[in-house]
Amino acid sequence: MAAFDECIFELIAQLGTLKERNAAQVQELYAPGAPADLVEGLGVRIGAGANPGIILRGDTSVELGNPEVGSCSALLWTDDLSLVVDGRITVIGPDVPESVGQSLPLAQVVLVAGSGLDHGDHEALQQSAHVSDQVEGYMAKSTSEFVWARVSHEAVAQGIDFAILGRALLYLVKTSVAKVSAAEVVFVTASREDVDAVATLVRQARVIGARIVTDNWRERGFDLDCDFDCSSCSDEEICDDIRDVLVATHAKSRSG
Amino acid sequence: MDKGDRVSGDNAWQTFREVAGTLLNSHVREWKESGEKVVGFFCSAVPEELLTAAGVLPFRMRGTGSTSTELADAFFTPINCSFPRHTFNQALLGEFDFLDGLICINSCDHVRRVYDNWTRTLDTGFVHVMSLPRKIEQPQVDWYHDEIALLKGKLEAHFGVEITDDRLREAIALHNRIRRLQKELYEMRSADRPPVSGTRALELMVAGTAMPRESYALLLADALADMPPPEEVGPARVRVMIVGGELDDPEYVRTVEEQGALVVTDSTCFGTRLMWEPVDEGEPDPVRALARYYISERPSCPRMYGDQPRRIAHIRDLVRQFGVDGVIGERLMFCDQWLVEYFMTALDLKDDGIPFLQLDREYVMSGKGQLQTRVQAFVETIEAAKESSACQV
Amino acid sequence: MPSLTVQEKERSLRRYKMERDHFASLLEAVLPIPGEEFELYARQLEILLDSKAVIVDCVENDKPFIGGYFCNAPELFSAMDLPWFMVMETPFLASSEPYVLQEIDNTAQMGLGTDLCTAIRLPIYYISEGLMPVPTAALGLLYPCDGAPMLHQVMQHNKNWKNVPLYSCDPPYTSDERAVNYFADELKRMAEFLEKHTGATLEIDRLRTACEESNAAYRWWQEYNELRRNVPSPHGWSPGGSMAFAMAQCFKVGDPRSTAWFEQLYRCAENRVKAGKGASDAPGWKERIRLFWFDILPMGWLPQFMPWLEEEWGAVLVMDMFGNYPYTLIDTTNEDTIFHDLAKRNLLDAPMIRQARGTADNFSNDIRRTVKDYKIDCVIWPGHMGHKDGSAASGIMRQTCRELGVPFLQIGLDLFDPRYTSVDEVKDKVSEFFSAMGLG
């Protein structure tokens, strides 16, 4: 049984309750499985540099996950494919287009399955779910405990909603780790209480995640050779040759 | 040697020397070969009794035998204390592969990072970090009670044992017995001609942290009954007390004593602070007894805020009891706690008219010549002062 | 109240007044300079000078005031109308003053050695020499490092401060709910201590108001930090994190002037983002390197180093340890929620406390988040001589950066004493690093 399986079981049960409680505001959407298909025809750019600038307060149409109104976020992975419905996007509560000018609470949980997934994939998966600026018109703020995001007026005008955000997340997750064969995402925006209920589970998951990270460090080991003290390094010549390549690569990635 | 074998006094002192001078000593080896477990721990604030009650051998971490910090220096820097650097280096070399577990603690800025680096590099089965309060009041006793209870639960789960209150009380009784015997030996050193040197005493104390406690208790009793030859303890030109922290190297004390400064007592992490007070066996809740002991009842070290008056009182009491002529404060380089503690100690001892010498050192002894010179000068100063006051009388 | 002679009072204020005069002359210099950033400096200096004037008045006229430390829930002091000064003010605010170097040397003469953090040595020196205002009561901090509890034990030991009641909250090493609740209880005991020894009363409604005002300031701070994610960053090392931290934790906490300052900081940065302006207005200047300075700024030699980074290398301090404050907003529903969230903010959020108090995961996690969100090109761990726990986590920081593909530099210096590692040496190391890594 993988590390987060129990959390996933609990989440499934919890979502059942939340769906019942908010029956009138539940959407279950199904997106295609292949990453390329996920982003086709989306209408917004996805990936590194998709949102090159920042979204100012004045340009914000909808705020999601401000801690003052409720916020939590988690990515739970498993090697049991039966626990995850690939491509499903579940929304419990109001969607983005109907919330212009509002600040909605947000619980965002991404469920990921792949038969070969293990602890070694944990960190890459966690990083992939932190969108930052990888969705055009959507900016996730830099907080460690929450998902706190802004959706721009422009993006709302272009029709951004949780279906698009969900597909973007699925794309980012699937393209970050090749072993992922199924992924689904849940957005809860119904109420603070509902988000807080999910937050309890998220806290448990965080403790499990911290242990995995420590184990991973141990398995990877430390690279003890380079401490950037070039004057004492026997590999300086080789390093100098590589430097030119690094400079070029760096310049290319910065220009996007 | 089987658990519980009695040996002659000579062998007891030899045993102490052997155990203090090595990491994986013959007793730990035998313990392991009989299928038993060993759990290392940093700092004298870790409740050893709990480990004994869990049926494991509590092993105080040292860097004994280390000659370099080359590997550890990738994790620490030159402004970090040499004790964790040497100890961790030994671990990276595999010298601690005999451990089945490790208890770390936030004793100081340097040692607490051993936990972070260890868990990321070494697979030691059971590794836990305790949160030790910095104050000595009731809320801190309560907090540490919960910390000990948490550790108890984790030990039980990991090692598949049940640490009942009775087992814990037995362990406390055993450790208290050891404390009593150690204190008994120490008190003999208040005599004009102490039966053992400070070097021997330190060997005895260090050994008490690195071998099965039942065997150690028996050895201790034997050793008390059969002291080393009296001529081993040379004539004392002056009687000194050593104050400090992680002093586990008998060679250091030997070097001090070779200059004519007989170490008759101490307040160190391997000395009186370990055993001057017992754990209260009358407290019905043994976990609470441990919490009170480790937080507020035993002599503290400088990290415990607000307790400096009690620490200096402990020093003053020992100075009086052991007829101490001068106090030597040893400090590992980069230790903020002892540096500032000595700032206060120096002022207090000056008020008392007690000579005080502060010595900085590295964990693995270096600069022996300098140490000798400074202690010689200290001895001569004290002798001159004694002569001068004798003349006045 | 401690009873000092007129001469003792005067002596205790000597250094304090020198610093007041230093900042007063800075204010005079800054006031006529046009520009939004200079207005910010001026406003902050005014608030600082107000605080100093109040302390001077308290000392000279035997009014109650407290000595404190940052991250001691200063909202409480505001709510109780208690004037306070930070015991470590000199190293953090005025260590570039010429007299400080001699005083650092004096600390070595006193027996405080040269390997104890300069920021700890200086207050010990001032206390021992009677050069620090002696408060009615003092609040200490027992973290983030070994030096902090030792400083406060010296306070307890010192003849002049022996009768100054001192309370310090105990910091747990863990960071879970149990730790937060424990610390909340410590804060409650701190409030009781203040009531007992100062005669001030804590009314929950006033605390609520102070916390709500503080929340408002923190909201602006959070907004401001988002603006620094922009490429180019609208601000560099100044105005920036350290100033924001000082305002949020050291000067007028829970005061509308502080909130107004933060709003002004935000607006100033927002204007620059809209105008596409980077940290410098120098003609032809371009942001070339975005760096994360993972410690306090080098307060003892700031003017010699920080501007050089921007001018010479286009290296902008997009984020630093003290600016990176992922804050907790205080739930002001009732007394318990207030103390709970004050505990969380001061134990888990506060810079340096967050990283240095607990396990090294805090260093590693901060780097991960900051590098991604702020598009950081390189991480610099200055390696201050007093930050021993951080230095013992440097291998972990380096490894984290390696995994992120971001260069990491560890220097080894004294943030307050430019003689430990000379400014030129630091510049050389940084330049070599930038060159070797193909940056700039």
Side-chain angles (χ1 to χ4, degrees):
Chain A
M1 194 157 148
F4 293 106
D5 282 9
E6 270 191 46
C7 285
I8 295 175
F9 290 135
E10 276 185 49
L11 176 74
I12 292 170
Q14 201 174 61
L15 288 177
T17 310
L18 294 182
K19 283 182 201 173
E20 268 179 46
R21 195 154 59 211
N22 299 282
Q25 289 187 302
V26 175
Q27 298 179 71
E28 263 186 21
L29 314 159
Y30 291 87
D37 294 337
L38 279 167
V39 295
E40 197 183 304
L42 264 191
V44 295
R45 282 193 307 248
I46 310 290
N51 198 55
I54 57 172
I55 300 174
L56 299 174
R57 271 162 60 102
D59 298 331
T60 303
S61 177
V62 179
E63 184 180 54
L64 299 168
N66 183 322
E68 287 189 81
V69 301
S71 182
C72 68
S73 165
L75 183 145
L76 310 176
W77 56 266
T78 178
D79 56 7
D80 182 349
L81 296 174
S82 69
L83 294 182
V84 176
V85 175
D86 188 32
R88 183 168 64 183
I89 301 166
T90 306
V91 185
I92 304 173
D95 204 334
V96 171
E98 63 201 276
S99 309
V100 170
Q102 291 180 52
S103 179
L104 298 179
L106 176 64
Q108 174 186 292
V109 183
V110 181
L111 299 175
V112 173
S115 56
L117 282 179
D118 60 29
H119 287 194
D121 304 304
H122 175 80
E123 285 161 272
L125 286 169
Q126 297 302 318
Q127 291 289 316
S128 72
H130 176 54
V131 169
S132 189
D133 59 355
Q134 297 180 85
V135 178
E136 188 184 9
Y138 178 86
M139 181 179 87
K141 287 192 180 195
S142 56
T143 64
S144 55
E145 282 190 34
F146 318 110
V147 60
W148 186 357
R150 284 180 176 161
V151 185
S152 69
H153 289 302
E154 257 183 82
V156 169
Q158 281 170 12
I160 197 170
D161 58 9
F162 280 121
I164 292 173
L165 289 172
R167 285 169 69 151
L169 259 174
L170 294 176
Y171 171 81
L172 290 170
V173 166
K174 285 186 169 182
T175 52
S176 74
V177 176
K179 287 188 237 172
V180 173
S181 45
E184 65 172 294
V185 61
V186 178
F187 298 106
V188 178
T189 58
S191 70
R192 171 98 201 220
E193 291 67 36
D194 292 340
V195 167
D196 285 349
V198 179
T200 309
L201 203 118
V202 164
R203 277 192 287 275
Q204 289 168 24
R206 201 161 276 134
V207 172
I208 298 170
R211 275 203 292 271
I212 293 174
V213 168
T214 304
D215 289 344
N216 283 349
W217 276 85
R218 206 163 42 239
E219 278 163 36
R220 275 199 301 268
F222 275 69
D223 179 352
L224 303 179
D225 293 330
C226 176
D227 63 358
F228 299 118
D229 181 7
C230 298
S231 61
S232 66
C233 180
S234 55
D235 291 330
E236 195 189 347
E237 229 178 276
I238 302 167
C239 201
D240 282 348
D241 288 340
I242 295 171
R243 194 180 305 156
D244 290 336
V245 175
L246 280 176
V247 169
T249 311
H250 187 74
K252 191 176 168 201
S253 69
R254 283 195 69 194
S255 65
Chain B
M1 189 184 74
D2 288 341
K3 239 200 285 201
D5 274 1
R6 299 190 75 90
V7 293
S8 74
D10 263 354
N11 280 346
W13 292 102
Q14 280 163 19
T15 301
F16 298 148
R17 179 160 289 174
E18 181 236 326
V19 171
T22 52
L23 282 181
L24 181 53
N25 60 70
S26 52
H27 299 268
V28 173
R29 197 174 286 116
E30 273 179 47
W31 177 269
K32 289 281 301 186
E33 280 164 6
S34 63
E36 305 290 355
K37 309 278 187 222
V38 181
V39 172
F41 66 98
F42 282 94
C43 184
S44 45
V46 171
E48 294 182 48
E49 292 87 343
L50 193 63
L51 299 175
T52 299
V56 305
L57 194 172
F59 187 93
R60 179 78 181 263
M61 299 296 284
R62 290 177 278 133
T64 304
S66 173
T67 54
S68 139
T69 58
E70 198 179 85
L71 295 179
D73 286 344
F75 301 84
F76 293 84
T77 73
I79 64 166
N80 287 125
C81 172
S82 47
F83 164 58
R85 280 165 49 212
H86 276 285
T87 311
F88 189 55
N89 204 83
Q90 290 285 65
L92 292 171
L93 288 171
E95 298 293 339
F96 283 109
D97 285 354
F98 63 88
L99 292 179
D100 300 288
L102 179 68
I103 315 286
C104 298
I105 197 164
N106 56 325
S107 52
C108 75
D109 286 343
H110 312 265
V111 168
R112 62 189 171 99
R113 289 288 176 240
V114 173
Y115 170 77
D116 299 290
N117 289 310
W118 192 296
T119 50
R120 284 166 170 79
T121 50
L122 298 164
D123 195 358
T124 306
F126 176 81
V127 183
H128 178 77
V129 64
M130 295 188 80
S131 169
L132 179 67
R134 285 196 177 271
K135 297 197 296 186
I136 57 169
E137 295 155 27
Q138 191 54 47
Q140 286 69 57
V141 171
D142 294 339
W143 171 271
Y144 208 51
H145 170 278
D146 293 347
E147 281 292 295
I148 295 173
L150 267 167
L151 174 59
K152 178 167 166 287
K154 289 189 175 187
L155 287 168
E156 287 176 326
H158 182 82
F159 290 104
V161 296
E162 194 192 348
I163 304 173
T164 60
D165 280 0
D166 281 343
R167 284 186 70 154
L168 194 45
R169 286 192 196 96
E170 278 166 27
I172 289 172
L174 169 61
H175 283 259
N176 272 353
R177 181 154 42 103
I178 290 171
R179 289 184 180 101
R180 270 195 305 277
L181 291 168
Q182 289 170 333
K183 191 173 179 182
E184 199 182 310
L185 173 90
Y186 260 61
E187 283 174 335
M188 291 179 191
R189 295 162 69 198
S190 64
D192 283 345
R193 192 74 190 257
V196 291
S197 64
T199 309
R200 284 279 197 187
L202 182 57
E203 286 167 352
L204 178 147
M205 294 300 294
V206 172
T209 68
M211 57 184 292
R213 298 306 193 264
E214 293 275 5
S215 311
Y216 176 75
L218 293 170
L219 271 182
L220 206 42
D222 284 343
L224 280 169
D226 201 352
M227 289 291 171
E231 53 274 12
E232 255 203 30
V233 182
R237 287 166 62 187
V238 299
R239 295 164 68 92
V240 299
M241 171 180 183
I242 291 187
V243 174
E246 180 65 38
L247 178 59
D248 60 28
D249 182 7
E251 200 49 40
Y252 185 87
V253 179
R254 190 192 314 281
T255 307
V256 168
E257 293 190 304
E258 279 169 354
Q259 313 318 308
L262 182 65
V263 178
V264 295
T265 190
D266 62 62
S267 171
T268 67
C269 292
F270 283 86
T272 63
R273 291 206 302 274
L274 267 191
M275 46 70 168
W276 213 244
E277 301 296 333
V279 177
D280 180 7
E281 291 180 56
E283 160 65 57
D285 175 1
V287 173
R288 184 148 296 277
L290 289 175
R292 270 197 353 245
Y293 173 77
Y294 282 102
I295 296 298
S296 59
E297 288 172 358
R298 69 180 198 121
S300 69
C301 81
R303 83 178 288 293
M304 298 314 265
Y305 162 85
D307 210 22
Q308 194 270 345
R310 213 161 57 107
R311 292 195 290 273
I312 192 66
H314 180 61
I315 292 173
R316 283 171 170 147
D317 287 345
L318 291 175
V319 162
R320 264 192 302 275
Q321 184 177 351
F322 288 83
V324 167
D325 298 314
V327 175
I328 295 176
E330 65 81 31
R331 174 187 87 108
L332 285 166
M333 285 294 300
F334 307 109
C335 179
D336 295 343
Q337 291 174 161
W338 281 104
L339 177 67
V340 183
E341 179 78 358
Y342 289 146
F343 173 73
M344 296 182 281
T345 304
L347 293 170
D348 289 337
L349 292 181
K350 190 175 174 190
D351 285 345
D352 296 344
I354 299 170
F356 176 66
L357 171 69
Q358 184 184 328
L359 295 171
D360 286 345
R361 66 180 182 100
E362 294 289 348
Y363 180 71
V364 169
M365 198 158 75
S366 60
K368 191 168 174 174
Q370 202 187 56
L371 171 63
Q372 289 166 325
T373 307
R374 292 203 64 199
V375 173
Q376 274 167 23
F378 188 55
V379 167
E380 284 161 18
T381 308
I382 295 174
E383 282 179 321
K386 277 166 96 171
E387 218 178 279
S388 161
S389 67
C391 288
Q392 280 168 18
V393 167
Chain C
M1 292 274 307
S3 149
L4 300 178
T5 64
V6 168
Q7 291 80 7
E8 283 171 337
K9 277 191 211 174
E10 196 193 297
R11 185 177 167 82
S12 78
L13 281 175
R14 198 175 299 167
R15 186 63 74 251
Y16 201 73
K17 284 181 175 174
M18 280 171 76
E19 283 164 20
R20 176 202 60 189
D21 296 343
H22 161 74
F23 288 114
S25 60
L26 266 184
L27 176 62
E28 234 181 85
V30 156
L31 273 172
I33 306 176
E36 289 182 295
E37 280 77 20
F38 288 98
E39 269 181 51
L40 283 167
Y41 301 144
R43 293 295 84 73
Q44 187 164 69
L45 285 167
E46 282 166 354
I47 291 171
L48 169 60
L49 286 165
D50 273 354
S51 301
K52 284 194 172 289
V54 167
I55 297 300
V56 169
D57 176 52
C58 287
V59 173
E60 288 175 345
N61 297 299
D62 294 323
K63 294 177 184 171
F65 71 104
I66 55 175
Y69 210 92
F70 61 84
C71 303
N72 244 345
E75 287 82 357
L76 283 163
F77 320 153
S78 296
M80 296 170 83
D81 271 332
L82 275 171
W84 74 287
F85 77 102
M86 199 169 85
V87 160
M88 287 175 84
E89 220 167 82
T90 297
F92 280 93
L93 297 185
S95 49
S96 55
E97 285 292 275
Y99 52 79
V100 172
L101 290 183
Q102 179 58 54
E103 287 170 356
I104 293 172
D105 292 342
N106 294 349
T107 65
Q109 311 258 341
M110 278 172 73
L112 287 173
T114 52
D115 58 68
L116 176 66
C117 180
T118 306
I120 299 284
R121 277 188 278 158
L122 281 172
I124 292 179
Y125 170 76
Y126 295 136
I127 288 169
S128 303
E129 294 294 307
L131 287 170
M132 186 179 291
V134 182
T136 315
L139 298 176
L141 206 66
L142 303 184
Y143 55 111
C145 63
D146 290 343
M150 298 317 298
L151 162 62
H152 296 100
Q153 292 190 80
V154 169
M155 255 186 224
Q156 292 175 314
H157 186 265
N158 180 271
K159 292 183 168 57
N160 288 338
W161 286 60
K162 253 185 150 50
N163 296 322
V164 176
L166 173 62
Y167 180 90
S168 301
C169 291
D170 179 53
Y173 198 60
T174 48
S175 303
D176 52 12
E177 195 60 17
R178 175 178 158 243
V180 172
N181 289 333
Y182 170 77
F183 197 69
D185 286 342
E186 287 282 287
L187 285 177
K188 287 177 184 168
R189 282 186 278 272
M190 186 178 91
E192 285 164 13
F193 166 87
L194 286 173
E195 286 187 317
K196 180 178 172 188
H197 292 287
T198 65
T201 312
L202 178 64
E203 290 166 20
I204 292 306
D205 284 339
R206 294 199 63 188
L207 180 58
R208 179 175 289 114
T209 304
C211 289
E212 281 168 357
E213 193 66 51
S214 171
N215 280 349
Y218 277 72
R219 276 190 206 101
W220 284 116
W221 191 1
Q222 176 67 20
E223 291 291 343
Y224 170 72
N225 272 349
E226 292 306 301
L227 293 175
R228 293 180 76 107
R229 292 170 70 178
N230 194 58
V231 178
S233 175
H235 288 148
W237 65 276
S238 182
S242 297
M243 286 177 72
F245 175 79
M247 190 61 86
Q249 277 284 340
C250 305
F251 303 151
K252 281 288 176 184
V253 179
D255 180 305
R257 284 201 296 173
S258 173
T259 313
W261 186 89
F262 273 103
E263 184 178 354
Q264 193 176 1
L265 178 71
Y266 171 82
R267 300 261 176 245
C268 171
E270 189 186 40
N271 290 340
R272 294 186 75 83
V273 166
K274 285 177 174 171
K277 287 184 182 178
S280 170
D281 290 329
W285 181 88
K286 208 172 165 255
E287 177 188 281
R288 306 200 305 272
I289 303 172
R290 293 171 69 86
L291 80 94
F292 179 28
W293 179 271
F294 203 14
D295 209 320
I296 306 167
L297 295 192
M299 303 307 290
W301 34 283
L302 209 52
Q304 298 98 305
F305 180 68
M306 287 322 230
W308 169 87
L309 271 179
E310 284 181 4
E311 288 155 19
E312 182 77 13
W313 284 97
V316 175
L317 194 153
V318 173
M319 189 45 65
D320 66 298
M321 182 186 271
F322 274 69
N324 187 24
Y325 200 136
Y327 68 102
T328 295
L329 281 181
I330 298 161
D331 178 353
T332 57
T333 305
N334 57 51
E335 185 176 341
D336 286 338
T337 61
I338 290 175
F339 274 97
H340 177 276
D341 287 354
L342 278 173
K344 198 161 174 241
R345 177 185 283 180
N346 288 280
L347 194 67
L348 304 186
D349 293 351
M352 197 155 51
I353 271 105
R354 182 175 72 258
Q355 294 89 3
R357 175 194 53 84
T359 60
D361 300 296
N362 298 330
F363 283 97
S364 178
N365 292 340
D366 268 11
I367 288 174
R368 280 187 199 286
R369 175 125 332 231
T370 304
V371 161
K372 185 164 184 178
D373 289 334
Y374 288 88
K375 298 189 182 63
I376 295 296
D377 295 316
C378 61
V379 178
I380 296 181
W381 166 252
H384 173 55
M385 48 75 82
H387 290 164
K388 280 120 180 179
D389 70 284
S391 286
S394 60
I396 291 167
M397 288 191 261
R398 186 171 59 235
Q399 187 74 8
T400 303
C401 287
R402 192 165 281 139
E403 284 160 18
L404 292 170
V406 169
F408 173 80
L409 173 67
Q410 175 178 298
I411 303 176
L413 45 76
D414 185 328
L415 293 167
F416 309 99
D417 186 348
R419 300 167 300 178
Y420 186 95
T421 304
S422 73
V423 181
D424 283 341
E425 264 182 83
V426 176
K427 286 178 178 175
D428 283 347
K429 282 197 176 192
V430 168
S431 295
E432 260 176 48
F433 169 68
F434 285 156
S435 300
M437 294 302 120
L439 293 170

